[in-house]
Amino acid sequence: MSFLGLDLGTSGLRALLVREDGTAIVSIERSYQTQSPHPGWSEQDPTLWTLALDSAMAELLRNVPEFASLKAISVAGHMHGATLLDKSHKVLRPCILWNDTRAHKEAAELDSDPGVQNALANTMFPGFTAPKLRWIETHEPEIFKKIHKVVLPAAYLNTYLTGEPFADYSDSVGSGWLDVLQRDWSTTLLDAGHMRPEQMPRLVESTQVGGVVRPELAHQWGLGNQVLVTGGAGDNAATACAMGITQNGQGLVSLGTSGVVLGAVDHPQPDPKSAVHTFCHAIPDQHYQMGVMLAATDSLNWLADILLSDPAELTRELPKQLLSPGNTQFLPYLSGERTPHNSASLRGSWHGLSSQTTRTQMIHSVIEGVSFALKENLDALESCGQQLDSLWAVGGGAKSEYWLSLLATVLDRPLWRPEQGDFGAALGAARLAQVAAGFSIDEVMTPPQCQEIIEPVSGLREAYREAFHRFRAHPR
């Protein structure tokens, strides 16, 4: 048997086919574009996702014999996207994505309702789905009237694959309509969002079977008639599954486009005011909490564009030994911020620039600023009762030894770097497909081998602690 994990990302779709023992057979990627018709808007045509999926499946059919023995599919998707369907499951408008901030006023209005905060156990961020629907109700009322179902991106692919809208808990909690502790749609939240229970997809666990691939697709892709489709997962929950983060106290820090500090938790202590996300895990009856910053490697990408370079080249310009913190500090709020500030209007800045500031110091200050912002995220998680004594380090930024040394020193924790391999959302999704087909969670949700443990630089701990206090003192 083979198993397929789909990672429906913001910039592209990744299909990872694995064997029964979890080893990769092949990985295929397809890219697509995001549209921004107005400042602060971010939209995508869901047809791009299905075209990418069809193209990837066609390549698997042509080139990979093991694809014919496919047993199950699971989809991990970028969260919060508002995909609106009519009664025929046709898309009513482009999907409004997670990084769209047009609904900041609606989010603030919902967040000011004590009943909403109590039921949601989270801050109602502008990127969540519920504020976007309130915006559509006001600005696109004719579309709002036609809405039969609202599904998130992963659930839209579930609908395409099986013909029936269903979603899992780890993704659905990011809609702003799910009671995270009761693991069910909340009447309080739906009423506040002017939505009805029947407009929500059916809920299943990430590891449960939600349906089977439609016969016409199975025929088109050369598959049998009983290929299972699981509930799927939000992308961060799926990544945690790929890293074997399933139990209390296990955690990761992700240096991707956005930055994430995440920890599994048995009994979460939600604190919406901290802007910490308290979400259902892809593991039944388990939760995770995370802090999110919006511009992690994106900050380095921004600097690389200005310097007519690329991010990897910039990090190679840094010395092998970690520099002491300098006078130049960078606040990495290029597109607002989530944890802990929850501000769509917050913007970045440099402090302490002078005629003596060098290119190397500017590169260092950007990496340092991102690391300080992740320290704020870790502190916010600890304020909610989390204790993460060490963290796996993943994402594109984790390829930089200098960055990991700086980050370990700022966080004052060892960082575990996994061996080279695939430990992203696509692998987590493939593992969910395995569990749905009968494998046990303990059997497949294992951590990777550790390639290296990066310890804090002991001689610079105090200097970076003082620099972090200066970072915190800058006006926001």
Side-chain angles (χ1 to χ4, degrees):
M1 293 185 293
S2 60
F3 303 88
L4 186 64
L6 299 174
D7 176 10
L8 179 64
T10 311
S11 58
L13 175 117
R14 185 152 177 253
L16 177 68
L17 192 69
V18 305
R19 302 179 180 89
E20 289 187 39
D21 64 1
T23 57
I25 299 170
V26 66
S27 175
I28 295 172
E29 297 186 17
R30 295 290 185 269
S31 62
Y32 37 73
Q33 299 298 314
T34 299
Q35 302 301 319
S36 182
H38 300 284
W41 290 28
S42 182
E43 299 184 345
Q44 219 159 53
D45 181 357
T47 304
L48 297 175
W49 310 335
T50 56
L51 289 173
L53 176 59
D54 285 335
S55 174
M57 297 300 235
E59 182 174 336
L60 287 168
L61 174 62
R62 284 194 309 269
N63 301 331
V64 185
E66 295 94 333
F67 181 60
S69 63
L70 185 66
K71 177 65 177 176
I73 301 173
S74 188
V75 183
H78 53 91
M79 298 177 66
H80 314 304
T83 313
L84 315 181
L85 308 180
D86 67 11
K87 291 182 179 180
S88 301
H89 297 166
K90 293 191 184 319
V91 176
L92 291 169
R93 69 172 323 282
C95 174
I96 305 178
L97 300 183
W98 61 274
N99 53 352
D100 188 292
T101 59
R102 77 184 73 180
H104 59 93
K105 292 181 180 178
E106 290 80 1
E109 180 182 335
L110 287 167
D111 202 49
S112 66
D113 183 335
V116 167
Q117 278 208 356
N118 290 335
L120 186 60
N122 284 282
T123 301
M124 185 69 81
F125 293 100
F128 278 23
T129 322
K132 297 167 186 169
L133 268 293
R134 288 284 297 268
W135 184 93
I136 289 169
E137 181 184 25
T138 300
H139 298 277
E140 299 176 356
E142 292 307 311
I143 288 176
F144 188 82
K145 292 175 185 176
K146 297 177 184 177
I147 296 172
H148 179 67
K149 292 286 183 184
V150 181
V151 293
L152 304 182
Y156 179 73
L157 277 196
N158 288 345
T159 307
Y160 177 73
L161 286 166
T162 68
E164 182 185 355
F166 62 89
D168 89 295
Y169 297 96
S170 74
D171 201 18
S172 298
V173 70
S175 67
W177 295 312
L178 191 86
D179 187 317
V180 64
L181 300 180
Q182 298 300 318
R183 294 173 85 92
D184 199 0
W185 298 119
S186 164
T187 302
T188 298
L189 295 174
L190 290 170
D191 287 347
H194 303 169
M195 301 300 293
R196 304 185 306 277
E198 60 268 25
Q199 292 176 304
M200 300 296 106
R202 175 170 58 91
L203 289 168
V204 300
E205 290 286 358
S206 301
T207 53
Q208 287 182 325
V209 177
V212 297
V213 173
R214 290 185 285 133
E216 56 268 36
L217 287 181
H219 177 74
Q220 177 183 329
W221 296 336
L223 301 172
N225 290 327
Q226 288 297 314
V227 177
L228 310 177
V229 181
T230 80
D235 50 6
N236 287 304
T239 299
C241 291
M243 296 298 299
I245 296 172
T246 61
Q247 298 178 13
N248 197 62
Q250 298 175 329
L252 65 82
V253 55
S254 175
L255 289 170
T257 302
S258 58
V260 173
V261 182
L262 179 151
V265 58
D266 295 333
H267 304 292
Q269 301 175 30
D271 179 15
K273 292 180 181 178
S274 70
V276 165
H277 302 57
T278 300
F279 284 176
C280 302
H281 204 325
I283 307 301
D285 301 319
Q286 181 63 288
H287 295 82
Y288 71 92
Q289 290 178 302
M290 66 178 178
V292 177
M293 64 169 297
L294 295 179
T297 60
D298 221 23
S299 293
L300 194 62
N301 295 341
W302 166 80
L303 180 63
D305 286 344
I306 291 175
L307 298 180
L308 303 178
S309 183
D310 67 80
E313 181 60 36
L314 293 187
T315 57
R316 283 193 291 268
E317 293 181 31
L318 295 165
K320 290 188 177 181
Q321 299 297 320
L322 179 61
L323 297 170
S324 299
N327 294 324
T328 304
Q329 291 198 322
F330 176 73
L331 273 60
Y333 311 126
L334 301 182
S335 53
E337 192 55 296
R338 282 204 185 177
T339 313
H341 304 292
N342 185 28
S343 172
S345 60
L346 190 61
R347 289 297 177 263
S349 56
W350 252 310
H351 297 262
L353 288 173
S354 72
S355 58
Q356 281 75 46
T357 301
T358 67
R359 175 184 171 106
T360 297
Q361 289 169 337
M362 293 177 73
I363 298 168
H364 171 91
S365 71
V366 168
I367 291 175
E368 180 191 77
V370 172
S371 300
F372 283 153
L374 289 169
K375 167 66 172 166
E376 288 187 312
N377 278 260
L378 180 61
D379 289 349
L381 281 178
E382 289 185 333
S383 74
C384 294
Q386 286 265 18
Q387 183 171 349
L388 302 170
D389 296 328
S390 62
L391 296 162
W392 287 99
V394 298
K399 296 176 183 177
S400 167
E401 301 236 356
Y402 187 91
W403 199 336
L404 289 190
S405 178
L406 195 160
L407 183 59
T409 306
V410 167
L411 300 182
D412 200 16
R413 278 165 179 73
L415 299 179
W416 293 42
R417 175 191 271 171
E419 284 188 348
Q420 292 296 326
D422 190 325
F423 304 110
L427 176 60
R431 289 179 166 187
L432 294 171
Q434 287 182 282
V435 175
F439 290 80
S440 72
I441 290 174
D442 292 340
E443 190 177 1
V444 300
M445 304 288 183
T446 56
Q449 293 295 312
C450 180
Q451 174 185 327
E452 181 183 9
I453 299 177
I454 296 89
E455 297 284 352
V457 178
S458 57
L460 292 176
R461 275 175 160 147
E462 188 57 37
Y464 273 99
R465 191 174 293 119
E466 292 175 0
F468 175 65
H469 290 316
R470 295 200 305 274
F471 174 86
R472 292 287 302 272
H474 292 306
R476 302 307 199 264

